Amino acid sequence: MFNKFVIFLLIFVELLLQVNAATYDISNLQGKTDLTPYIEYNIGDHDPLEAPPIEGWSQFTYSQIKLGFDNRVQWFRFELANPSAQVESYYIELDAPLLDNITFYILSQGRVRSVQSLGDNQVFPLRPVLHESFIIPISLHASETLEIYIATQTSGSTQLPITLWQKEYFQEQQNYQRLLTGSFIGLIVAAIIACLITFSVSREKSSLLNAGFIVSFLMIILTLNGFAFHYFWPNQPVLQQHAFYIFTCLSILFSALLARETLKHFYQDHQLMSWFKYIALFAVLLLPATLYLSYQAGLYLIILISIIICICHLYAGVMAWNHGLHEHQEFNYGLAVLLICLLLICVNNFSPFSLPISNLNLLQLSLIIHILFLAIAVTRSSAIEYDVFGNDEETTDQALLHSEQMMELQFALRELEEKNQQLEKLNTIDALSGIYNRRHFDKRLQAELRRGRRELTPLSLILFDIDHFKKVNDTYGHIVGDEVIRCISMCAAEQLSRTADEVFRYGGEEFAVLLPNTNLPGALTLAEKIRAAIENLTITLNEQTLSCKISIGVATHDSTKAIEPNSFIEMADSALYKAKQSGRNQVQTYQEVI
């Protein structure tokens, strides 16, 4: 096995002499850039673990990488040049969460620097950066040019941007994206809770089936954007491969059963009842069949049956309307929007045209509109009930029941608010280290200073950074440096014993620990505990073992006078500077009395 790998490297280096990939100058990067104009591609039957093809490379003639359904290996190559005199670190993102296999090669001066295997057929924790799309951290030394080769192979459609990100800008955008995703999930969860409350009160099967449809539709979206693989089944890649089909079949099943439940009051013997019965049966049979169908065949079937059931719903809605039944049409309105979105998805997937909106955004839009139609229906129904209860003195019991329903709804909304707070907390986590980020630190520091001022309790702040961390990056590379940051973050967090105490990644290799209601001796004790724990920490990565030391600065504010957050941070930073000047690997305090 080792000899085969050596032969592969020799062949690979030889082939590099014939490569003329486009080069991107990273000094032009402002936040992020789409690398598609600089990428050459090649499609063939080559093994991604062997040398790439020599001939047949082509430039993209359009602004997006769109190669359709092709089970063969798809190669991409480009170059990144760093003309500056310092080391630069970036992220390369492949924004296609459902790619099966990715092999990523980084070469410098004709030598293979690293080879990484990614894909959603591997467990999620193996990714170098724990993110829904595929993120590869890279570092370029001074005046260095890297050659990047990416080999992908997937049973689905290859349609992705390859983006180069500045790390700080990537983190800012991800925090914003997390907030949007949390708001979207919160809205959908509210609709699900409302349907379940309606079912618990009225015992109408349609409300329960509506909840099932919304849940399955939401899970389709969370599967497509990689969120489900990240948080729900990170160690189940087999489930990730089939989750899209499973939840699509369930959504078809629930919508067919919902249609039968609605129509049975009006068209008990109509042929539409049989149509929806057969569609529901077909969805049940299709569920195990998708385990054996190819991805492309399964996708054709899923989209076709989804379009058919939307058309059947609309036909049923038109029939009901023509017979004077103008109420309870909101579900059909939502499916009309879904039908339009499905047709646009067909254009995206099965035609050479690329729409300005992605398939995922189309599905999210259709689900939001569907929820809005349901909200309108619930509001109208509540208004009718209010009208009845307000004008009929003989409906006291019904009014009491209605009051109880409103109370239950308030409880549900309160639970939803708590869920949204939990989602907001997820948005405060630093993607690399797994601890709280700088944004959350600024909020918590402001809040704790105000609380300490109100309650006249001391507040302590610990700032520490990793000694000689630049040497770690220069010696072992930024991938090892990122692992060092993760390990030290977790080690520091493990030393905290109170729930009120929090550790944050302040920036780069610098960290902060906020200690409410803690005086200076208590803060010094914890600071020394953190320092000793990290000094004794052994970090092993790629058969390399290293240890790190930290310097710590401690400041305490007794809350008798008001102080600005920046001034308090400067006090701790001054103590940290003193610790580094005094020889590092030690704890120092801010001496001035506040």
Side-chain angles (χ1 to χ4, degrees):
M1 183 67 182
F2 178 78
N3 292 333
K4 182 178 179 180
F5 185 72
V6 172
I7 293 173
F8 155 67
L9 291 182
L10 292 176
I11 296 175
F12 205 100
V13 172
E14 180 181 355
L15 291 173
L16 291 176
L17 299 177
Q18 307 177 50
V19 170
N20 294 304
T23 302
Y24 176 75
D25 184 350
I26 64 172
S27 62
N28 298 323
L29 182 62
Q30 299 293 329
K32 71 170 184 175
T33 188
D34 184 3
L35 294 174
T36 302
Y38 305 91
I39 293 175
E40 294 178 331
Y41 75 98
N42 191 305
I43 303 176
D45 297 320
H46 308 82
D47 189 332
L49 295 180
E50 296 179 358
I54 301 175
E55 301 177 347
W57 292 90
S58 304
Q59 289 279 354
F60 286 101
T61 57
Y62 36 85
S63 60
Q64 186 180 21
I65 298 175
K66 183 176 182 181
L67 300 178
F69 293 91
D70 196 330
N71 290 328
R72 296 176 296 172
V73 177
Q74 298 165 346
W75 285 90
F76 308 93
R77 71 182 185 187
F78 55 95
E79 294 181 352
L80 300 177
N82 178 20
S84 68
Q86 59 185 4
V87 178
E88 300 288 350
S89 297
Y90 298 92
Y91 285 147
I92 294 178
E93 178 189 25
L94 278 68
D95 191 12
L98 300 184
L99 285 177
D100 294 339
N101 296 288
I102 305 171
T103 307
F104 195 95
Y105 301 93
I106 302 178
L107 297 93
S108 177
Q109 298 180 350
R111 295 186 177 182
V112 178
R113 176 187 289 184
S114 68
V115 180
Q116 298 187 56
S117 295
L118 306 170
D120 71 348
N121 64 349
Q122 300 182 15
V123 296
F124 195 92
L126 291 180
R127 299 188 182 186
V129 176
L130 299 182
H131 191 267
E132 292 77 43
S133 56
F134 300 102
I135 308 295
I136 299 93
I138 62 168
S139 59
L140 292 90
H141 299 297
S143 303
E144 182 183 39
T145 298
L146 293 183
E147 298 166 69
I148 310 295
Y149 282 78
I150 305 174
T152 66
Q153 191 171 23
T154 184
S155 56
S157 175
T158 302
Q159 186 174 349
L160 73 155
I162 299 179
T163 307
L164 182 68
W165 291 85
Q166 290 178 334
K167 287 188 174 182
E168 294 78 10
Y169 186 74
F170 177 83
Q171 185 61 51
E172 292 176 4
Q173 293 300 309
Q174 290 312 302
N175 289 338
Y176 175 72
Q177 189 62 39
R178 285 280 190 272
L179 183 60
L180 291 180
T181 302
S183 301
F184 170 77
I185 294 175
L187 173 64
I188 307 307
V189 170
I192 295 169
I193 293 175
C195 290
L196 294 177
I197 291 176
T198 302
F199 171 74
S200 65
V201 174
S202 64
R203 296 300 174 182
E204 292 182 359
K205 292 182 181 179
S206 59
S207 299
L208 185 60
L209 293 172
N210 222 329
F213 174 80
I214 297 173
V215 169
S216 56
F217 204 145
L218 175 62
M219 292 307 300
I220 292 172
I221 293 173
L222 297 183
T223 299
L224 291 177
N225 66 12
F227 195 92
F229 193 29
H230 189 172
Y231 295 103
F232 296 161
W233 49 78
N235 296 310
Q236 302 295 330
V238 175
L239 178 57
Q240 173 66 9
Q241 295 285 325
H242 300 284
F244 169 76
Y245 291 128
I246 293 172
F247 292 112
T248 303
C249 290
L250 289 176
S251 66
I252 294 172
L253 174 64
F254 283 121
S255 63
L257 295 177
L258 180 59
R260 284 179 56 85
E261 184 67 23
T262 303
L263 290 174
K264 72 180 184 181
H265 301 294
F266 315 108
Y267 305 109
Q268 183 66 46
D269 299 323
H270 198 277
Q271 61 179 355
L272 274 175
M273 295 291 288
S274 299
W275 291 3
F276 285 116
K277 181 179 71 174
Y278 291 133
I279 290 175
L281 181 61
F282 183 80
V284 173
L285 296 177
L286 184 61
L287 188 57
T290 54
L291 301 177
Y292 304 97
L293 292 174
S294 67
Y295 187 93
Q296 186 174 0
L299 186 61
Y300 283 139
L301 276 175
I302 286 293
I303 292 181
L304 178 61
I305 192 63
S306 298
I307 290 175
I308 290 175
I309 196 169
C310 287
I311 293 174
C312 290
H313 273 281
L314 294 180
Y315 178 67
V318 170
M319 287 188 57
W321 187 278
N322 291 335
H323 285 78
L325 303 173
H326 299 166
E327 305 296 332
H328 307 295
Q329 292 281 357
E330 289 76 14
F331 188 83
N332 294 327
Y333 299 155
L335 289 186
V337 176
L338 176 59
L339 177 60
I340 296 173
C341 291
L342 287 174
L343 295 176
L344 294 177
I345 288 173
C346 290
V347 174
N348 261 342
N349 277 352
F350 309 124
S351 76
F353 303 102
S354 295
L355 299 175
I357 183 171
S358 68
N359 295 341
L360 180 62
N361 289 335
L362 285 170
L363 290 176
Q364 289 176 328
L365 177 63
S366 66
L367 183 55
I368 290 175
I369 293 176
H370 182 84
I371 297 303
L372 291 178
F373 280 131
L374 290 181
I376 292 172
V378 171
T379 303
R380 185 178 60 200
S381 177
S382 300
I384 293 174
E385 291 179 3
Y386 176 82
D387 208 34
V388 171
F389 295 155
N391 293 285
D392 190 355
E393 297 178 355
E394 297 178 0
T395 57
T396 306
D397 293 338
Q398 292 181 342
L400 181 59
L401 176 61
H402 180 70
S403 176
E404 293 173 353
Q405 293 174 9
M406 294 300 296
M407 186 177 297
E408 291 181 4
L409 181 59
Q410 290 178 356
F411 287 139
L413 292 175
R414 187 176 302 171
E415 293 178 359
L416 177 61
E417 183 179 357
E418 295 175 355
K419 294 293 183 182
N420 282 331
Q421 290 175 355
Q422 294 175 3
L423 288 172
E424 175 65 22
K425 187 175 182 180
L426 286 176
N427 295 331
T428 63
I429 299 299
D430 177 67
L432 174 62
S433 61
I435 58 177
Y436 290 117
N437 57 23
R438 172 67 182 274
R439 176 187 174 194
H440 186 56
F441 169 76
D442 292 338
K443 291 183 178 180
R444 294 298 302 145
L445 179 59
Q446 182 76 41
E448 291 300 337
L449 283 173
R450 290 174 178 173
R451 187 172 70 170
R453 180 70 175 148
R454 291 195 307 269
E455 301 175 359
L456 295 179
T457 55
L459 175 67
S460 292
L461 174 63
I462 296 175
L463 283 183
F464 70 89
D465 68 5
I466 306 171
D467 294 337
H468 305 297
F469 183 70
K470 185 177 184 302
K471 184 177 180 181
V472 173
N473 277 335
D474 293 342
T475 304
Y476 300 99
H478 284 263
I479 295 177
V480 174
D482 289 347
E483 183 63 25
V484 168
I485 288 176
R486 279 194 289 267
C487 292
I488 287 181
S489 300
M490 292 300 101
C491 181
E494 289 170 357
Q495 311 311 311
L496 305 183
S497 57
R498 301 187 308 175
T499 56
D501 300 339
E502 295 175 323
V503 60
F504 310 82
R505 186 181 179 198
Y506 188 74
E509 71 274 17
E510 193 168 4
F511 302 84
V513 183
L514 201 56
L515 306 174
N517 198 16
T518 303
N519 56 21
L520 183 59
L524 286 173
T525 300
L526 179 59
E528 179 58 33
K529 181 181 178 183
I530 293 173
R531 187 204 64 79
I534 293 176
E535 183 180 20
N536 296 326
L537 179 66
T538 300
I539 303 172
T540 302
L541 183 66
N542 295 334
E543 300 182 356
Q544 295 175 334
T545 301
L546 65 155
S547 59
C548 295
K549 298 177 182 179
I550 62 172
S551 300
I552 301 180
V554 181
T556 299
H557 177 53
D558 61 7
S559 300
T560 56
K561 296 181 180 179
I563 186 174
E564 291 297 321
N566 288 339
S567 301
F568 193 31
I569 294 173
E570 288 175 359
M571 293 164 52
D573 193 56
S574 174
L576 173 59
Y577 179 78
K578 180 180 177 183
K580 300 184 82 67
Q581 293 290 45
S582 301
R584 304 178 188 269
N585 190 29
Q586 58 183 273
V587 179
Q588 291 289 343
T589 62
Y590 182 75
Q591 298 299 324
E592 180 180 349
V593 178
I594 304 174

